[in-house]
Every structure is written in structure tokens, then in C-alpha cells.
Amino acid sequence: MIPSKLGERLEKLGLSESIYEQRTRKCILSRTDMEMEKVPWYESAYFLPDDFHKKDSFVFDPVSLVPCLALDAKKEDKILDICAAPGTKTFIISFLTRNEAYIIANDISRLRVKRLKGIVNKYDLSAEVLNMSGRKIAGSFNKIILDAPCSGEGMVNKNKKLFDHWSEKRIRMIAKKQKKLIAHAFELLEWGGTLVYSTCTFSTEENEGVVDFLLSKYKDAKLADIDVNIVHTQGLIDWDGKKYDNSLAKCFRIYPQHNNTSGFFVAKISKGE
Ligand SMILES: C[S@@+](CC[C@H](N)C(=O)[O-])C[C@H]1O[C@@H](n2cnc3c(N)ncnc32)[C@H](O)[C@@H]1O
């Protein structure tokens, strides 16, 4: 059962509860041409047909490409994937950089890090795995992805259990944690660098609210345009009586009905003048 308060909040965003019945499509990456339908927002990604046998392919929701493409990682970059387990974004960023970039892939959960290590080893990714709180990481990086722990409202057709734990109180608690993580991530970011913040939830408290907090805390934090050709709506600049910075409109809100994927939020932040 969808909590009635969640239903009301979805309705205010123009979303119907039927999103949770939607089947999402999955994809794989390949540099060689495949006789399969291409994912419109990335030329080397292909939708899986229903009869596809997994073999050794890494299969994922194609919406996960968006934060990784927004990061625009290059092989010479020093990349931090601060909440990396089980490793989907690490895998994609490795692919995008032809496995030549130096990636630190970290996660706080010992159990989930086991899965992350499994993926890094299986696909021989150019990533070093760490297992600590992201808030304890030291050093400096010019590309950071914070795919944050969140309330998961956008994980359609996957995890009905999320409704058992859903509450506005929990959202506020998670948003506090996200603010601490994003502030630390921004401190680790080099001048001129890029930080991508993403979640798989719809709640503004965990999305625009967190990014707006960062913009007001750090005057050198600026939102950048996301150059990914996927159907989306803009980030919100006011919600429920709260007013966010106008530049929040540069964020992407990707809803399940837009592209047959899970719901996602992506913000691209740069550090500079
Ligand atoms: C949305 S999931 C990340 C998914 C991952 N990026 C991927 O693409 O496979 C959020 C992750 O944040 C981790 N996490 C929660 N709090 C953390 C913290 N303080 N530091 C680092 N990781 C944390 C959780 O263990 C969880 O694996």
C-alpha cells in the first residue's frame, strides 16, 4: 500500500501512483554495434530485449547513465565515487573513460562493498575500493559523484518494501545526512572541478533542498547545465511555500513515464567564480 501522504505528494508533482506498476527497461553497454535498439541518450547503450540472456553483460537501468554522462569524466581525471556500492555508476564511469581513469569507489556498507569489489574484480575496473564513511575521505578530486542514499521513491517496479519505511520524518532525517555528505564532497572538490549529485527519489527535501543548501553555504558552488538528451522536467524553484535558487531549474527531474526508467534527480555543480 502506498502511504496516503506519499500519494498526495506525488500528485502535487503531477505523478500518479500507477508509476509503481510500470515496467522499466534495462540496458547494456557495448562499443561494437549490436542489432538491438539503442538507448537514445547514449550511443553505446542498448536496450535489452525480453529474451536476452545475461551471460557476462553488466545489466542496469539506463537512467543510471545520466549522472555519469553529466560528470563528463576524462581519463586524466581524479574521480571519487563517494557512495559507490553496489557499483553501477563505477562500472559506467569506467566504461566512459575506457577504463583509463583513476577512480576511488567508496561505500560505508561492508556488505555492499563486497558486491562492489566483486564487480570491480569481475570487470577489471580501474577503481580502488574504500570502505568508510564518505565524510571521512581526505584528499582532492576534480570529478566527484555523490549518488546519495535516499528514500528511493523513484525505484518503481522494484522495491515495494520502500513503502513500509516511508515517512516525512524519515525524509527529513535522510536530507540531513545528504547535506553533510554533499558539503564534505564539495570540500574535497578541486577548483574548476565538477560534482554531480543524484538520487532516485522525488522528494524536494532530498533533491533541490540539498543542492540549495550547498549553494547558500558555498558561494563558489554554481549549478551547471546538464548536456544529456533525455526527456525530463526542470528542477523545481519553489515547492510547498519554499523558494529555491532560480538556477535549480538546471537540474533534471526524470520521471518514470518520461523514458520508462526509474525516477531520478540529477544536479551538476561546478566549483569556481
Ligand atoms: C543509492 S546507493 C548508491 C548506488 C551506487 N552509486 C550504484 O550506482 O550502484 C547509496 C549508497 O550510499 C551508501 N552510504 C550511505 N551513507 C554513506 C556514507 N556516509 N558514506 C558513504 N556511503 C554511504 C549506502 O551504503 C549505499 O550503498
Side-chain angles (χ1 to χ4, degrees), residues 219-246:
K219 293 300 159 215
D220 51 353
K222 301 273 178 313
L223 276 165
D225 290 317
I226 297 172
D227 187 16
V228 181
N229 195 8
I230 185 170
V231 182
H232 66 279
T233 74
Q234 295 183 337
L236 300 172
I237 55 171
D238 48 56
W239 172 254
D240 217 17
K242 276 197 191 66
K243 178 91 191 77
Y244 299 122
D245 190 276
N246 283 338

mmCIF file of all heavy atoms in Angstrom, residues 219-246:
data_model
loop_
_atom_site.group_PDB
_atom_site.id
_atom_site.type_symbol
_atom_site.label_atom_id
_atom_site.label_comp_id
_atom_site.label_asym_id
_atom_site.label_seq_id
_atom_site.Cartn_x
_atom_site.Cartn_y
_atom_site.Cartn_z
ATOM 1 N N LYS A 219 29.752 29.968 -1.635
ATOM 2 C CA LYS A 219 29.500 30.954 -2.692
ATOM 3 C C LYS A 219 30.162 30.551 -4.012
ATOM 4 O O LYS A 219 29.797 31.058 -5.082
ATOM 5 C CB LYS A 219 29.974 32.354 -2.260
ATOM 6 C CG LYS A 219 29.150 32.918 -1.107
ATOM 7 C CD LYS A 219 27.661 33.034 -1.488
ATOM 8 C CE LYS A 219 26.762 33.085 -0.259
ATOM 9 N NZ LYS A 219 25.464 32.432 -0.404
ATOM 10 N N ASP A 220 31.176 29.656 -3.940
ATOM 11 C CA ASP A 220 31.829 29.211 -5.184
ATOM 12 C C ASP A 220 31.164 27.949 -5.764
ATOM 13 O O ASP A 220 31.698 27.342 -6.695
ATOM 14 C CB ASP A 220 33.335 28.988 -4.980
ATOM 15 C CG ASP A 220 33.647 28.106 -3.776
ATOM 16 O OD1 ASP A 220 32.712 27.785 -3.020
ATOM 17 O OD2 ASP A 220 34.821 27.748 -3.610
ATOM 18 N N ALA A 221 30.012 27.567 -5.232
ATOM 19 C CA ALA A 221 29.252 26.441 -5.819
ATOM 20 C C ALA A 221 28.230 27.009 -6.792
ATOM 21 O O ALA A 221 27.443 27.887 -6.433
ATOM 22 C CB ALA A 221 28.542 25.652 -4.722
ATOM 23 N N LYS A 222 28.267 26.506 -8.029
ATOM 24 C CA LYS A 222 27.343 27.005 -9.065
ATOM 25 C C LYS A 222 26.730 25.819 -9.798
ATOM 26 O O LYS A 222 27.426 24.834 -10.061
ATOM 27 C CB LYS A 222 28.106 27.834 -10.120
ATOM 28 C CG LYS A 222 28.850 29.045 -9.578
ATOM 29 C CD LYS A 222 27.944 30.261 -9.529
ATOM 30 C CE LYS A 222 28.595 31.505 -8.965
ATOM 31 N NZ LYS A 222 29.350 31.434 -7.745
ATOM 32 N N LEU A 223 25.476 25.941 -10.172
ATOM 33 C CA LEU A 223 24.888 24.875 -10.980
ATOM 34 C C LEU A 223 25.298 25.018 -12.433
ATOM 35 O O LEU A 223 25.376 26.136 -12.955
ATOM 36 C CB LEU A 223 23.367 24.887 -10.848
ATOM 37 C CG LEU A 223 22.900 24.120 -9.617
ATOM 38 C CD1 LEU A 223 21.467 24.426 -9.275
ATOM 39 C CD2 LEU A 223 23.083 22.614 -9.806
ATOM 40 N N ALA A 224 25.576 23.889 -13.072
ATOM 41 C CA ALA A 224 25.960 23.892 -14.486
ATOM 42 C C ALA A 224 24.871 23.191 -15.291
ATOM 43 O O ALA A 224 24.063 22.431 -14.737
ATOM 44 C CB ALA A 224 27.289 23.162 -14.639
ATOM 45 N N ASP A 225 24.868 23.461 -16.606
ATOM 46 C CA ASP A 225 23.900 22.787 -17.484
ATOM 47 C C ASP A 225 24.279 21.317 -17.644
ATOM 48 O O ASP A 225 25.457 20.983 -17.716
ATOM 49 C CB ASP A 225 23.901 23.453 -18.867
ATOM 50 C CG ASP A 225 23.293 24.841 -18.796
ATOM 51 O OD1 ASP A 225 22.267 25.010 -18.119
ATOM 52 O OD2 ASP A 225 23.883 25.773 -19.393
ATOM 53 N N ILE A 226 23.265 20.494 -17.751
ATOM 54 C CA ILE A 226 23.488 19.056 -17.987
ATOM 55 C C ILE A 226 23.238 18.794 -19.471
ATOM 56 O O ILE A 226 22.144 19.055 -19.967
ATOM 57 C CB ILE A 226 22.530 18.213 -17.120
ATOM 58 C CG1 ILE A 226 22.825 18.462 -15.631
ATOM 59 C CG2 ILE A 226 22.647 16.733 -17.462
ATOM 60 C CD1 ILE A 226 21.811 17.825 -14.686
ATOM 61 N N ASP A 227 24.270 18.282 -20.115
ATOM 62 C CA ASP A 227 24.178 18.096 -21.553
ATOM 63 C C ASP A 227 23.866 16.624 -21.880
ATOM 64 O O ASP A 227 24.711 15.910 -22.412
ATOM 65 C CB ASP A 227 25.522 18.549 -22.183
ATOM 66 C CG ASP A 227 25.447 18.549 -23.691
ATOM 67 O OD1 ASP A 227 24.325 18.513 -24.240
ATOM 68 O OD2 ASP A 227 26.525 18.552 -24.330
ATOM 69 N N VAL A 228 22.688 16.187 -21.511
ATOM 70 C CA VAL A 228 22.269 14.808 -21.807
ATOM 71 C C VAL A 228 20.866 14.876 -22.395
ATOM 72 O O VAL A 228 19.977 15.510 -21.838
ATOM 73 C CB VAL A 228 22.257 13.912 -20.534
ATOM 74 C CG1 VAL A 228 21.844 12.493 -20.892
ATOM 75 C CG2 VAL A 228 23.613 13.912 -19.845
ATOM 76 N N ASN A 229 20.733 14.209 -23.532
ATOM 77 C CA ASN A 229 19.490 14.331 -24.290
ATOM 78 C C ASN A 229 18.457 13.286 -23.849
ATOM 79 O O ASN A 229 18.212 12.314 -24.550
ATOM 80 C CB ASN A 229 19.855 14.174 -25.776
ATOM 81 C CG ASN A 229 18.740 14.643 -26.653
ATOM 82 O OD1 ASN A 229 17.751 15.209 -26.182
ATOM 83 N ND2 ASN A 229 18.868 14.373 -27.945
ATOM 84 N N ILE A 230 17.896 13.508 -22.677
ATOM 85 C CA ILE A 230 16.890 12.578 -22.149
ATOM 86 C C ILE A 230 15.647 13.393 -21.772
ATOM 87 O O ILE A 230 15.778 14.541 -21.307
ATOM 88 C CB ILE A 230 17.436 11.805 -20.920
ATOM 89 C CG1 ILE A 230 16.435 10.749 -20.435
ATOM 90 C CG2 ILE A 230 17.844 12.731 -19.785
ATOM 91 C CD1 ILE A 230 16.994 9.783 -19.384
ATOM 92 N N VAL A 231 14.474 12.835 -21.969
ATOM 93 C CA VAL A 231 13.239 13.548 -21.598
ATOM 94 C C VAL A 231 13.230 13.742 -20.077
ATOM 95 O O VAL A 231 13.530 12.808 -19.316
ATOM 96 C CB VAL A 231 11.990 12.739 -22.029
ATOM 97 C CG1 VAL A 231 10.714 13.508 -21.698
ATOM 98 C CG2 VAL A 231 12.048 12.421 -23.514
ATOM 99 N N HIS A 232 12.924 14.947 -19.645
ATOM 100 C CA HIS A 232 12.948 15.250 -18.209
ATOM 101 C C HIS A 232 12.116 16.504 -17.961
ATOM 102 O O HIS A 232 11.683 17.154 -18.917
ATOM 103 C CB HIS A 232 14.397 15.509 -17.749
ATOM 104 C CG HIS A 232 15.001 16.742 -18.349
ATOM 105 N ND1 HIS A 232 15.548 16.768 -19.624
ATOM 106 C CD2 HIS A 232 15.110 18.010 -17.875
ATOM 107 C CE1 HIS A 232 15.979 17.978 -19.893
ATOM 108 N NE2 HIS A 232 15.721 18.761 -18.854
ATOM 109 N N THR A 233 11.916 16.850 -16.678
ATOM 110 C CA THR A 233 11.410 18.189 -16.380
ATOM 111 C C THR A 233 12.493 18.895 -15.566
ATOM 112 O O THR A 233 13.383 18.242 -15.001
ATOM 113 C CB THR A 233 10.083 18.188 -15.584
ATOM 114 O OG1 THR A 233 10.391 17.824 -14.247
ATOM 115 C CG2 THR A 233 9.080 17.204 -16.108
ATOM 116 N N GLN A 234 12.386 20.220 -15.513
ATOM 117 C CA GLN A 234 13.405 21.002 -14.809
ATOM 118 C C GLN A 234 13.296 20.814 -13.295
ATOM 119 O O GLN A 234 12.223 20.511 -12.781
ATOM 120 C CB GLN A 234 13.168 22.480 -15.084
ATOM 121 C CG GLN A 234 13.367 22.870 -16.530
ATOM 122 C CD GLN A 234 13.174 24.368 -16.713
ATOM 123 O OE1 GLN A 234 12.518 25.033 -15.928
ATOM 124 N NE2 GLN A 234 13.779 24.893 -17.759
ATOM 125 N N GLY A 235 14.408 21.080 -12.620
ATOM 126 C CA GLY A 235 14.377 21.139 -11.165
ATOM 127 C C GLY A 235 13.404 22.226 -10.716
ATOM 128 O O GLY A 235 13.155 23.190 -11.446
ATOM 129 N N LEU A 236 12.855 22.049 -9.501
ATOM 130 C CA LEU A 236 11.833 22.997 -9.017
ATOM 131 C C LEU A 236 12.497 24.204 -8.358
ATOM 132 O O LEU A 236 13.532 24.065 -7.698
ATOM 133 C CB LEU A 236 10.937 22.293 -8.002
ATOM 134 C CG LEU A 236 10.203 21.064 -8.559
ATOM 135 C CD1 LEU A 236 9.499 20.310 -7.445
ATOM 136 C CD2 LEU A 236 9.214 21.475 -9.642
ATOM 137 N N ILE A 237 11.906 25.361 -8.549
ATOM 138 C CA ILE A 237 12.456 26.546 -7.864
ATOM 139 C C ILE A 237 11.529 27.027 -6.751
ATOM 140 O O ILE A 237 11.928 27.857 -5.948
ATOM 141 C CB ILE A 237 12.826 27.691 -8.843
ATOM 142 C CG1 ILE A 237 11.641 28.073 -9.715
ATOM 143 C CG2 ILE A 237 14.021 27.312 -9.694
ATOM 144 C CD1 ILE A 237 11.901 29.320 -10.534
ATOM 145 N N ASP A 238 10.327 26.516 -6.708
ATOM 146 C CA ASP A 238 9.547 26.684 -5.473
ATOM 147 C C ASP A 238 8.679 25.455 -5.252
ATOM 148 O O ASP A 238 8.237 24.788 -6.181
ATOM 149 C CB ASP A 238 8.715 27.971 -5.444
ATOM 150 C CG ASP A 238 7.929 28.175 -6.690
ATOM 151 O OD1 ASP A 238 7.160 27.278 -7.026
ATOM 152 O OD2 ASP A 238 8.092 29.239 -7.330
ATOM 153 N N TRP A 239 8.488 25.163 -4.000
ATOM 154 C CA TRP A 239 7.760 23.953 -3.641
ATOM 155 C C TRP A 239 7.163 24.118 -2.252
ATOM 156 O O TRP A 239 7.884 24.427 -1.305
ATOM 157 C CB TRP A 239 8.704 22.750 -3.661
ATOM 158 C CG TRP A 239 8.062 21.509 -3.121
ATOM 159 C CD1 TRP A 239 8.297 20.929 -1.907
ATOM 160 C CD2 TRP A 239 7.082 20.697 -3.774
ATOM 161 N NE1 TRP A 239 7.524 19.817 -1.768
ATOM 162 C CE2 TRP A 239 6.761 19.643 -2.902
ATOM 163 C CE3 TRP A 239 6.433 20.765 -5.016
ATOM 164 C CZ2 TRP A 239 5.822 18.684 -3.225
ATOM 165 C CZ3 TRP A 239 5.503 19.804 -5.331
ATOM 166 C CH2 TRP A 239 5.214 18.764 -4.452
ATOM 167 N N ASP A 240 5.855 23.989 -2.152
ATOM 168 C CA ASP A 240 5.191 23.971 -0.859
ATOM 169 C C ASP A 240 5.571 25.189 0.002
ATOM 170 O O ASP A 240 5.904 25.051 1.179
ATOM 171 C CB ASP A 240 5.606 22.675 -0.138
ATOM 172 C CG ASP A 240 4.436 22.101 0.647
ATOM 173 O OD1 ASP A 240 3.288 22.496 0.374
ATOM 174 O OD2 ASP A 240 4.693 21.285 1.553
ATOM 175 N N GLY A 241 5.581 26.351 -0.619
ATOM 176 C CA GLY A 241 5.887 27.579 0.112
ATOM 177 C C GLY A 241 7.368 27.875 0.237
ATOM 178 O O GLY A 241 7.762 28.943 0.714
ATOM 179 N N LYS A 242 8.235 26.923 -0.177
ATOM 180 C CA LYS A 242 9.693 27.162 -0.103
ATOM 181 C C LYS A 242 10.179 27.657 -1.445
ATOM 182 O O LYS A 242 9.762 27.179 -2.481
ATOM 183 C CB LYS A 242 10.434 25.858 0.204
ATOM 184 C CG LYS A 242 10.481 25.533 1.645
ATOM 185 C CD LYS A 242 11.552 24.483 1.922
ATOM 186 C CE LYS A 242 11.399 23.978 3.320
ATOM 187 N NZ LYS A 242 10.121 23.231 3.499
ATOM 188 N N LYS A 243 11.110 28.630 -1.392
ATOM 189 C CA LYS A 243 11.646 29.177 -2.639
ATOM 190 C C LYS A 243 13.113 28.744 -2.732
ATOM 191 O O LYS A 243 13.879 28.925 -1.792
ATOM 192 C CB LYS A 243 11.503 30.711 -2.544
ATOM 193 C CG LYS A 243 12.036 31.481 -3.699
ATOM 194 C CD LYS A 243 10.950 31.709 -4.767
ATOM 195 C CE LYS A 243 11.580 32.258 -6.041
ATOM 196 N NZ LYS A 243 12.266 31.268 -6.850
ATOM 197 N N TYR A 244 13.475 28.136 -3.851
ATOM 198 C CA TYR A 244 14.873 27.739 -4.067
ATOM 199 C C TYR A 244 15.518 28.684 -5.075
ATOM 200 O O TYR A 244 14.832 29.369 -5.830
ATOM 201 C CB TYR A 244 14.953 26.305 -4.598
ATOM 202 C CG TYR A 244 14.367 25.257 -3.675
ATOM 203 C CD1 TYR A 244 13.341 24.425 -4.112
ATOM 204 C CD2 TYR A 244 14.834 25.098 -2.376
ATOM 205 C CE1 TYR A 244 12.797 23.456 -3.272
ATOM 206 C CE2 TYR A 244 14.295 24.136 -1.533
ATOM 207 C CZ TYR A 244 13.274 23.318 -1.987
ATOM 208 O OH TYR A 244 12.733 22.366 -1.165
ATOM 209 N N ASP A 245 16.858 28.662 -5.101
ATOM 210 C CA ASP A 245 17.590 29.483 -6.060
ATOM 211 C C ASP A 245 17.097 29.189 -7.492
ATOM 212 O O ASP A 245 16.869 28.022 -7.840
ATOM 213 C CB ASP A 245 19.089 29.164 -5.927
ATOM 214 C CG ASP A 245 19.943 30.141 -6.699
ATOM 215 O OD1 ASP A 245 20.127 29.919 -7.928
ATOM 216 O OD2 ASP A 245 20.382 31.118 -6.090
ATOM 217 N N ASN A 246 16.975 30.256 -8.300
ATOM 218 C CA ASN A 246 16.447 30.077 -9.670
ATOM 219 C C ASN A 246 17.270 29.095 -10.505
ATOM 220 O O ASN A 246 16.751 28.454 -11.413
ATOM 221 C CB ASN A 246 16.429 31.424 -10.411
ATOM 222 C CG ASN A 246 15.256 32.261 -9.953
ATOM 223 O OD1 ASN A 246 14.271 31.735 -9.424
ATOM 224 N ND2 ASN A 246 15.350 33.570 -10.121
#
